[in-house]
Amino acid sequence: QLQLVESGGRLVQAGGSLRLSCVASGRAFSSYAMGWFRQAPGKDNEFLGATIGSGSSTYYADSVKGRFTISRDNAKNTVYLQMNNLKREDTAVYYCAAARNLHSVVVNTTDYWGQGTQVSVSS
């Protein structure tokens, strides 16, 4: 019912900024809560943040609060992750995900996942 494709990942120097995009194909995009996750090599999938369908409310993990910002443009079926002041420990594959409710995204039990986009931060 929903397909997600992330893009925007690349190699960036520490202290730099990057914006990732996640484009959804399918109907009723605005009815889905959307979230961002990342997985570093050898580590578990980590929740970063999520937004409700309208985009009017967002929730962030403490680890990225103040540096990362989630927004969405429902007219474009797109959710964004703006990352500022990137650090070496931010290196990971970044994924977007969708679920019918915000709680499912926050607890990492989402219904749909993208393929991921690689972000590498150099010192």
Side-chain angles (χ1 to χ4, degrees):
Q1 296 186 44
L2 202 66
Q3 295 175 320
L4 308 174
V5 179
E6 303 95 334
S7 63
R10 63 177 179 88
L11 175 65
V12 64
Q13 287 188 293
S17 298
L18 201 60
R19 189 179 76 163
L20 306 182
S21 298
C22 173
V23 179
S25 297
R27 66 182 300 273
F29 174 70
S30 63
S31 70
Y32 289 90
M34 300 292 299
W36 284 95
F37 299 79
R38 68 185 180 190
Q39 188 164 28
K43 298 182 180 179
D44 292 333
N45 201 34
E46 178 188 10
F47 170 75
L48 301 175
T51 182
I52 63 172
S54 68
S56 61
S57 296
T58 54
Y59 176 85
Y60 299 99
D62 289 339
S63 60
V64 301
K65 195 175 300 180
R67 292 195 301 128
F68 291 9
T69 303
I70 296 171
S71 61
R72 66 192 294 165
D73 186 342
N74 287 338
K76 297 180 179 179
N77 276 23
T78 302
V79 63
Y80 304 96
L81 178 65
Q82 177 67 47
M83 304 184 290
N84 298 323
N85 191 25
L86 285 163
K87 307 177 185 299
R88 292 190 304 275
E89 53 264 42
D90 294 321
T91 295
V93 177
Y94 284 70
Y95 300 90
C96 66
R100 284 186 252 266
N101 60 81
L102 181 66
H103 178 73
S104 294
V105 176
V106 172
V107 302
N108 199 9
T109 56
T110 53
D111 298 316
Y112 305 99
W113 290 86
Q115 85 291 343
T117 185
Q118 176 71 48
V119 174
S120 298
V121 183
S122 62
S123 60

